[in-house]
């Protein structure tokens, strides 16, 4: 263990360490806590200038109700869900097949294809912007949810393929061999043998990709116009311009935007961290 | 690595003992005579790959080529394109904003590299077994899952000169986001928050996999503190450090969300970076060819880095 475990410290230092933890946490999360407190502060209090004290009356219901009803927040939220869920499912489905193929079959061009998928990950997204926007316009998809869904599927497939290919490569190859000897076709090998074994990796990857797509702002800006297909990130950013002084509403909106990915993270933390570090170390 | 981090353990899956000797990978078939099963496998390989390849070709490869060719044209998105050769690049070389953007990109890059050491420091601080530490670690990590928009909003408010937290702490307001000298630093500081959290989690996972016996042995010899960290722990953490630097560099070059939300590249384009400059030229001024040229420059910078990374990765494979 490094550093020296606290059990071996002097009792006083140990006590100090334990005391310091909540304080450090408070400082680290201060901006976030401030936003949460503001989101339940009433407008009167804000106009009085009570920004940082503890709220005297809580306006939890009123603020969130207002943020949800006076702006198309729910609509944005719905858009975000309708973009993120299919995009994650699509990217993972494509990547599982591609990753399987790259890991199990030995064919000419395997490495080159793999390298292409990896490189695709690191490409600065700006170089894709104008052509993708153009493509969406030509397909009649501009300012619709499918435009964003299709793009996210394509872009996330690269990362997911890298991840799953490495994961499948770690499985014992004898499994595939054995199944083939039993007479299983290639699809059966993939669907019945490999897919069940990579379920944990799929879970890790889904959460990771979920947060990537949910938090996307750039593509939402490029491929939508107005409220129709705009996801939550665009909606919340627009709130800032609309009500410069209504920080309680902006805060409520931000909390709504942050909530799904934060909840997702806390619910599936182990998978999330595993995915992140696995993808990272192998990437 | 993954085994220690979670329950995901591919190695733990017990393979049914296949009785066949020599389960060689499908050998490269000799000449024409592909066996039927080899042929079937090859077909399967391509069928499995086809959908992913198609999507990547349409949405990644083709756009890259189109952008590069577009950078030699003048185009407003509606009328016909006119070929202008290198004019866009020449103009770029003479645009002061381009240099501002380049300089800011460099500031982002350098300051962003503070996040691996900061993440390491927090990871060392939290790498203890006390009650509730799991929750503390996750809460420290939480900023990373926030969207750039939310982080941007939180910090715009933090910096607000009339009622922001910073103004309250200092006793007087500083218009951080309204001052060309401070704005980039203010935004990078905000961006360091989630990035440090990211590096921290990488290091926390890295620390679980270091060799405890070696550390104990060194302690017996009397090594401690900085020496131990510098000569024994850090070398073992080298893969983690490499990774932390990789993701940090990519993050720095990708910076867009925070700039867009916090300053819109302003005031007077003083906080713009290549990514934002490019977006601005395309969306606000409809200068698509010029904008593509900026993207190509950004791509070229990144390409050096991608090539280096790919080479290293593929070398490890063999």
């Amino acid at each position: 263990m490094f550093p020296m475990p606290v059990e071996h410290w002097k009792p006083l230092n140990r006590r100090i360490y334990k005391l310091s933890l909540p304080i450090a946490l408070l400082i680290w999360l201060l901006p976030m806590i401030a936003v949460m407190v503001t989101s339940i502060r009433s407008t009167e209090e804000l106009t009085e200038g009570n920004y940082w004290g503890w709220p005297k009356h809580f306006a939890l219901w009123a603020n969130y109700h207002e943020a949800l009803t006076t702006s198309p927040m729910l609509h944005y939220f719905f858009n975000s869900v309708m973009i993120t869920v299919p995009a994650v499912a699509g990217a993972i489905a494509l990547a599982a097949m591609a990753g399987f193929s790259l890991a199990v079959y030995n064919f000419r061009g395997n490495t080159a294809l793999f390298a292409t998928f990896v490189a695709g990950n690191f490409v600065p997204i700006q170089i894709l912007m104008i052509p993708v926007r153009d493509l969406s316009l030509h397909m009649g998809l501009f300012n619709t949810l499918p435009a964003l869904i299709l793009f996210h599927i394509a872009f996330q497939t690269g990362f997911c393929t890298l991840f799953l290919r490495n994961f499948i490569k770690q499985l014992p190859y004898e499994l595939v061999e054995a199944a083939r000897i039993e007479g299983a076709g290639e699809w059966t090998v993939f669907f019945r043998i490999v897919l069940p074994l990579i379920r944990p990796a799929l879970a890790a990857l889904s959460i990771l990709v979920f947060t990537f797509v949910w938090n996307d702002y750039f593509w939402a800006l490029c491929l939508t116009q107005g409220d129709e297909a705009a996801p939550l990130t665009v909606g919340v950013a627009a709130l800032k311009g609309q009500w410069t002084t209504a920080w309680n509403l902006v805060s409520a909106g931000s909390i709504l935007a942050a909530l799904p990915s934060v909840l997702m993270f806390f619910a599936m933390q182990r998978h999330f961290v595993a995915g992140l570090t696995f993808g990272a170390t192998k990437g | 690595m993954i085994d220690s981090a979670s329950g995901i353990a591919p190695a733990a899956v017990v393979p049914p003992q296949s009785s066949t000797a020599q389960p060689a990978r499908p050998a490269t078939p000799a000449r024409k005579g592909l066996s039927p099963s080899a042929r079937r496998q090859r077909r399967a390989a391509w069928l499995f790959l086809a959908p992913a390849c198609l999507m990547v070709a349409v949405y990644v490869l083709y756009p890259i080529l189109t952008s590069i060719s577009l950078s030699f044209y003048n185009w407003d998105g509606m009328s016909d394109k006119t070929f202008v050769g290198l004019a866009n690049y020449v103009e770029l070389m003479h645009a002061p904003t381009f240099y501002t953007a380049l300089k800011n990109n460099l500031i982002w890059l350098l300051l962003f590299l503070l996040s691996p050491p900061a993440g390491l420091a927090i990871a060392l601080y939290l790498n203890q077994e006390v009650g509730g530490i799991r929750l503390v670690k996750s809460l420290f990590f939480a900023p990373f899952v926030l969207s750039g928009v939310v982080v941007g909003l939180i910090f715009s408010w933090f910096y607000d000169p009339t009622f922001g937290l910073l103004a309250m702490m200092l006793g007087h307001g500083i218009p951080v986001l309204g001052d060309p000298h401070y704005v980039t630093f203010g935004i990078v500081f905000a961006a360091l928050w989630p990035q440090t959290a990211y590096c921290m989690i990488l290091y926390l996972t890295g620390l679980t996999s270091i060799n405890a016996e070696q550390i104990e042995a060194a302690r017996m010899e009397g090594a401690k503190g900085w020496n131990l960290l510098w000569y024994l722990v850090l070398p073992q953490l080298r893969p983690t450090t490499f990774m932390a630097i990789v993701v940090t560099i990519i993050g720095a070059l990708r910076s867009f969300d925070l700039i867009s939300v916090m300053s819109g590249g302003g005031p007077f384009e003083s906080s713009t970076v290549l990514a934002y400059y490019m977006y601005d030229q395309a969306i606000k001024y409809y200068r698509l060819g010029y904008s593509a040229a900026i993207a190509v420059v950004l791509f070229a910078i990144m390409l050096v880095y991608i090539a280096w990374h790919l080479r290293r990765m593929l070398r490890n494979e063999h």
Side-chain angles (χ1 to χ4, degrees):
Chain A
M1 270 293 263
F2 185 85
M4 182 74 87
V6 271
E7 299 91 77
H8 305 311
W9 291 14
K10 288 189 199 116
L12 179 68
N13 290 352
R14 193 158 57 215
R15 185 124 0 111
I16 293 175
Y17 176 77
K18 284 183 184 165
L19 269 176
S20 73
L21 279 176
I23 299 171
L25 196 59
L26 188 75
I27 296 172
W28 184 247
L29 294 180
L30 192 61
M32 216 150 79
I33 295 167
V35 165
M36 282 187 213
V37 175
T38 308
S39 77
I40 55 172
R41 212 183 274 285
S42 67
T43 314
E44 296 86 71
E45 238 176 282
L46 285 176
T47 45
E48 278 167 23
N50 182 11
Y51 280 96
W52 296 101
W54 193 250
K56 274 177 241 128
H57 10 256
F58 295 90
L60 175 80
W61 170 248
N63 281 348
Y64 282 87
H65 184 74
E66 196 179 343
L68 288 176
T69 51
T70 59
S71 66
M73 224 16 103
L74 277 176
H75 171 72
Y76 296 138
F77 192 90
F78 178 76
N79 280 347
S80 273
V81 174
M82 291 310 287
I83 292 165
T84 311
V85 173
V88 172
I92 296 220
L94 294 192
M97 292 195 291
F100 171 74
S101 180
L102 290 175
V104 167
Y105 303 106
N106 199 352
F107 55 92
R108 197 191 290 252
N110 185 316
T111 313
L113 263 179
F114 179 55
T116 312
F117 280 114
V118 178
N121 264 320
F122 295 131
V123 163
I125 45 180
Q126 279 74 22
I127 199 158
L128 312 178
M129 177 185 130
I130 298 170
V132 168
R133 199 178 140 94
D134 225 33
L135 195 68
S136 308
L137 275 167
H138 280 298
M139 292 195 294
L141 294 178
F142 184 74
N143 206 18
T144 65
L145 300 180
L148 281 165
I149 296 171
L150 285 176
F151 175 78
H152 284 306
I153 289 180
F155 195 70
Q156 298 299 339
T157 295
F159 172 70
C160 298
T161 303
L162 157 72
F163 187 104
L164 290 175
R165 179 260 189 196
N166 286 338
F167 196 89
I168 296 172
K169 226 163 178 156
Q170 290 185 348
L171 298 175
Y173 187 70
E174 293 78 27
L175 283 176
V176 175
E177 286 289 315
R180 280 187 188 143
I181 287 164
E182 305 273 319
E186 298 305 308
W187 176 257
T188 317
V189 171
F190 168 68
F191 207 75
R192 288 279 155 79
I193 311 287
V194 172
L195 214 50
L197 291 179
I198 61 171
R199 225 176 302 161
L202 295 181
L205 205 52
S206 334
I207 307 159
L208 213 54
V209 175
F210 179 93
T211 52
F212 292 163
V213 177
W214 183 272
N215 290 340
D216 164 71
Y217 179 57
F218 181 76
W219 290 103
L221 271 187
C222 293
L223 299 178
T224 67
Q225 215 161 32
D227 286 344
E228 209 173 308
L232 206 47
T233 40
V234 170
V236 174
L239 267 185
K240 189 193 169 203
Q242 283 168 17
W243 296 309
T244 19
T245 44
W247 280 107
N248 48 355
L249 297 190
V250 177
S251 307
S254 303
I255 299 281
L256 283 177
L259 212 54
S261 31
V262 172
L263 283 182
M264 200 78 159
F265 162 65
F266 274 101
M268 324 252 304
Q269 213 183 97
R270 281 156 66 93
H271 283 317
F272 188 94
V273 172
L276 205 62
T277 45
F278 181 78
T281 45
K282 302 291 164 158
Chain B
M1 166 130 271
I2 195 158
D3 312 57
S4 55
S6 76
I8 304 176
V13 179
V14 183
Q17 284 303 317
S18 81
S19 51
T20 46
Q22 278 306 313
R25 301 239 156 186
T28 14
R31 307 297 114 130
K32 281 183 186 169
L34 277 170
S35 73
S37 74
R39 199 173 304 157
R40 201 177 55 218
Q41 281 177 22
R42 170 172 298 185
R43 201 180 55 217
W46 287 106
L47 283 178
F48 277 122
L49 271 169
C53 287
L54 180 78
M55 289 301 278
V56 172
V58 171
Y59 275 101
V60 181
L61 298 181
Y62 166 77
I64 293 176
L65 299 176
T66 319
S67 272
I68 294 174
S69 89
L70 188 61
S71 70
F72 301 111
Y73 287 87
N74 242 344
W75 192 37
D76 61 5
M78 281 158 283
S79 52
D80 287 337
K81 301 172 195 170
T82 44
F83 184 78
V84 293
L86 289 173
N88 284 326
Y89 292 95
V90 173
E91 187 187 339
L92 199 57
M93 291 303 136
H94 292 98
T97 313
F98 174 65
Y99 293 100
T100 314
L102 217 51
K103 191 192 81 196
N104 283 338
N105 263 129
L106 200 66
I107 295 178
W108 268 85
L109 201 63
L110 292 178
L111 289 181
F112 237 46
L113 285 174
L114 290 176
S115 61
L120 175 64
I122 299 179
L124 289 173
Y125 171 61
L126 293 180
N127 193 31
Q128 294 289 358
E129 303 278 339
V130 295
I133 195 76
R134 283 188 66 91
L135 182 67
V136 175
K137 284 178 188 169
S138 337
L139 285 171
F140 259 90
F141 183 59
F144 179 70
V145 291
L146 296 182
S147 112
V149 172
V150 174
V151 174
L153 285 174
I154 291 177
F155 275 86
S156 314
W157 183 45
F158 178 84
Y159 289 134
D160 191 293
T162 45
F163 48 75
L165 190 55
L166 185 70
M168 209 190 71
M169 288 191 314
L170 296 175
H172 62 99
I174 301 176
V176 176
L177 300 179
D179 187 320
H181 298 295
Y182 299 138
V183 60
T184 297
F185 295 100
I187 300 174
V188 177
F189 181 74
L192 277 173
W193 190 44
Q195 189 65 28
T196 303
Y198 189 6
C199 292
M200 174 205 82
I201 207 80
L202 291 179
Y203 276 115
L204 271 177
T205 318
L207 281 171
T208 57
S209 61
I210 62 172
N211 187 336
E213 279 165 33
Q214 252 185 44
I215 304 279
E216 283 317 311
R219 278 206 179 109
M220 297 288 197
E221 304 275 316
K224 57 184 168 202
W226 288 108
N227 278 333
L228 201 56
L229 176 66
W230 188 255
Y231 292 107
L232 213 59
V233 177
L234 275 185
Q236 290 195 43
L237 287 176
R238 192 169 293 156
T240 311
T241 304
F242 173 77
M243 206 49 233
I245 291 175
V246 167
V247 296
T248 302
I249 292 175
I250 296 178
L253 290 177
R254 282 210 174 143
S255 48
F256 173 87
D257 298 6
L258 283 170
I259 297 172
S260 170
V261 171
M262 291 175 76
S263 73
F268 317 116
E269 302 196 301
S270 59
S271 63
T272 196
V273 292
L274 288 180
Y276 191 81
Y277 183 38
M278 180 266 162
Y279 169 83
D280 217 31
Q281 290 293 320
I283 301 288
K284 267 196 210 142
Y285 303 102
Y286 300 102
R287 304 198 53 202
L288 300 187
Y290 184 62
S291 162
I294 306 171
V296 170
V297 171
L298 188 61
F299 181 61
I301 296 174
M302 206 81 143
L303 207 56
V304 177
Y305 177 73
I306 295 175
W308 172 71
H309 186 69
L310 265 185
R311 230 190 72 199
R312 187 181 178 282
M313 203 188 74
L314 292 177
R315 207 191 303 136
N316 284 351
E317 286 270 310
H318 299 304

